[in-house]
Amino acid sequence: MKDTLNNIYHTLTEAVSGKWRLVGQSHGWLVTWEADAKRGTSEIPRANPTIDHALGILEEAAPWRIEDVLGLIRQVVKSREPPEVRWLLSVQVAEAAALATNHSLNPPDHPYFALLHWVRWSLLSEPFRGDGFQPLTPTAFPGGTDELRLRAREARDRWAEILLTYDDWPILTRVGLDIEREGKQLVFEDEGRTDLLALVDSRTGGDRSRDPFIPRLARELFTRRFMLGPLWRATTGPKLLALALLLAALLGAVVAGVGGWATVPPDTALAGAAVALFAFVVTLAAAAGEGFSLPFLLRFPASAGIGLAAVVASRGTWIQRMVPLGSSVEPECQVATVATPTDIVLILGSLVLAGVTYLVVESRLHGTSAGGALRRGLGVWVIGLGWATIIAAFYIVLFGPLFTECFPIGLAGWPRVLAFAVTTLAVLDIGIFLQVLWEDRPVTYPLGALRFSRYR
């Protein structure tokens, strides 16, 4: 609790000056109003403050400004009273200000309203953080913990709306708020923990994973900023983790089949594994809902499909260059020059570099730090590579021989493995680049879902 109060104090210090002066008295707090040349005193009882009392003070001081209320909260949280008392008085003032916003001199889109909603959420969510803080709940709200939880959910929704449009609120970055940290605080008990914040009501049976707020925030914040760690922690339960391990095992079987091509091309088994894996993920994701599908980044298989169309249109000439002369390719389909090992290394390296670089830059442009952008770009690329591996298996086994003239059907050994590797990276890169033209969304964003929202 002390850390939260200190954070509020230092943040508000960057934003507002103290418009209030608190004078400690033996019988309670004496508050002196010093705004707009209007001077007056109002006593806030320390033992049992109420929202109505704080609201009355604001109404007496009307027309009031939000920065003045933030100045009062700043003075309260830096006082020497016990944390419970500081929390209680700050909550009452913040709640009163939220109720009295229609009487404020500031317009509703004033920058300081963003800070008011951040302060309100920070205070109301603190009792649910699991750090042992016990607020004076019966004193704070007549409805006790249930009313506190209800107000906290409402404050969370208001703050989330602001946070998801943070580009419209420059004050948030000016005062040093960490957007990603604030996003994780909306979902988790603490930034470094995996426990979800317990703000669910009786309609969800107490199951935190059924809170509809979680997939919404994960979709609009975590995916846009390539935050794969929080995305998986927020939307993943034991069943999804088990499924992810199963899918990884199936994908490993596909890759092992590719390695087996160095000796025997198991076309039927590979094609069946790829089709089964693709259908398995897409069907379960569609049946289980959006929250289930978010970690699998389903925009990747669609974009890789676009890349596959481009590779098919290349008519396989580049594959022929990997086939040594005298192999099973028809004489009229052989090319005069073949790729050397150095050429193959340069091609594969260029394709990897192009895809990873694009994703790193895209992550960086969404406000991620340089080190974080590299780490997240690589993580997203690995997931995309898994989908591209499945799509490439379709091409090598099914679509290539069917749609491409002079496709080396008898291609085997390491030339076929190299052809598969080039195909995989090519469909991945082409899909990543073209999906931006297809829809102006990050490649991590959910596939084809229009939002009834002003930031969709």
Side-chain angles (χ1 to χ4, degrees):
M1 183 62 213
K2 291 182 179 179
D3 292 339
T4 298
L5 294 176
N6 289 335
N7 186 31
I8 291 175
Y9 172 73
H10 291 298
T11 301
L12 295 184
T13 300
E14 295 293 327
V16 297
S17 58
K19 298 281 186 170
W20 291 74
R21 180 168 59 88
L22 294 177
V23 180
Q25 300 290 331
S26 58
H27 61 276
W29 290 104
L30 184 64
V31 182
T32 303
W33 178 254
E34 296 179 342
D36 296 332
K38 179 173 181 175
R39 304 183 63 86
T41 61
S42 298
E43 180 181 336
I44 301 181
R46 180 176 54 189
N48 189 25
T50 64
I51 295 177
D52 291 338
H53 196 122
L55 185 61
I57 294 175
L58 295 181
E59 291 176 345
E60 291 175 5
W64 56 275
R65 291 184 172 87
I66 280 291
E67 53 264 42
D68 299 325
V69 176
L70 294 176
L72 169 59
I73 296 176
R74 174 178 173 269
Q75 296 297 324
V76 171
V77 298
K78 80 167 185 177
S79 67
R80 297 182 179 181
E81 288 293 310
E84 293 79 7
V85 175
R86 288 184 282 161
W87 176 85
L88 180 58
L89 182 54
S90 299
V91 164
Q92 304 298 7
V93 174
E95 290 296 279
L99 291 174
T101 50
N102 291 333
H103 304 290
S104 171
L105 188 64
N106 298 125
D109 59 349
H110 191 277
Y112 285 117
F113 275 103
L115 287 183
L116 173 63
H117 290 300
W118 169 73
V119 169
R120 183 182 176 222
W121 158 247
S122 299
L123 292 169
L124 289 175
S125 64
E126 188 63 27
F128 304 97
R129 294 294 175 189
D131 58 358
F133 171 66
Q134 298 294 328
L136 305 176
T137 303
T139 304
F141 303 109
T145 302
D146 290 339
E147 183 179 353
L148 175 60
R149 181 177 284 108
L150 179 64
R151 290 178 180 270
R153 287 204 305 271
E154 195 272 335
R156 178 191 64 180
D157 293 341
R158 294 292 299 273
W159 171 236
E161 290 292 332
I162 293 173
L163 192 65
L164 292 176
T165 55
Y166 61 84
D167 284 335
D168 297 331
W169 305 90
I171 194 172
L172 299 182
T173 54
R174 180 169 67 84
V175 299
L177 286 183
D178 186 337
I179 300 301
E180 294 186 0
R181 180 180 182 275
E182 294 300 326
K184 287 182 281 189
Q185 292 278 14
L186 283 166
V187 174
F188 303 108
E189 285 189 1
D190 189 64
E191 182 181 5
R193 299 174 61 177
T194 59
D195 295 333
L196 298 178
L197 201 59
L199 292 182
V200 293
D201 56 20
S202 58
R203 291 175 298 177
T204 65
D207 185 359
R208 305 178 190 184
S209 64
R210 294 175 57 191
D211 189 346
F213 176 84
I214 293 176
R216 170 174 168 258
L217 184 78
R219 177 188 71 224
E220 300 300 336
L221 181 64
F222 296 164
T223 62
R224 291 185 182 190
R225 295 181 69 106
F226 289 29
M227 299 168 65
L228 295 183
L231 176 64
W232 275 89
R233 293 198 302 271
T235 58
T236 301
K239 294 181 180 179
L240 185 56
L241 278 176
L243 177 60
L245 293 176
L246 176 60
L247 296 178
L250 290 175
L251 184 59
V254 173
V255 175
V258 175
W261 280 341
T263 55
V264 179
D267 289 350
T268 304
L270 180 66
V275 171
L277 183 59
F278 185 84
F280 186 50
V281 175
V282 174
T283 301
L284 283 181
E290 181 185 29
F292 179 91
S293 65
L294 286 176
F296 293 105
L297 307 185
L298 293 185
R299 188 173 291 263
F300 265 119
S303 63
I306 298 176
L308 174 62
V311 171
V312 170
S314 68
R315 308 187 69 82
T317 303
W318 59 275
I319 295 182
Q320 298 166 25
R321 295 185 180 276
M322 299 182 185
V323 181
L325 293 176
S327 65
S328 58
V329 181
E330 297 295 331
E332 62 271 16
C333 294
Q334 292 184 356
V335 294
T337 59
V338 295
T340 66
T342 302
D343 296 334
I344 298 298
V345 171
L346 290 176
I347 291 172
L348 295 176
S350 299
L351 290 173
V352 171
L353 183 63
V356 172
T357 301
Y358 181 89
L359 293 174
V360 169
V361 170
E362 187 174 23
S363 177
R364 185 75 170 123
L365 292 177
H366 280 82
T368 307
S369 64
L374 178 60
R375 182 178 63 257
R376 295 176 186 180
L378 283 172
V380 170
W381 184 83
V382 168
I383 295 178
L385 184 65
W387 283 113
T389 300
I390 300 172
I391 300 299
F394 292 160
Y395 173 73
I396 292 293
V397 175
L398 301 175
F399 298 113
L402 182 62
F403 292 103
T404 302
E405 296 178 3
C406 291
F407 185 87
I409 298 177
L411 183 61
W414 288 110
R416 184 164 182 164
V417 175
L418 294 176
F420 181 87
V422 173
T423 302
T424 299
L425 295 174
V427 300
L428 176 59
D429 287 0
I430 294 172
I432 289 174
F433 298 146
L434 291 184
Q435 74 89 27
V436 177
L437 303 178
W438 157 36
E439 186 180 10
D440 188 16
R441 290 285 189 272
V443 72
T444 52
Y445 198 75
L447 174 65
L450 292 177
R451 308 298 169 194
F452 296 92
S453 167
R454 63 177 175 269
Y455 45 80
R456 62 184 174 90

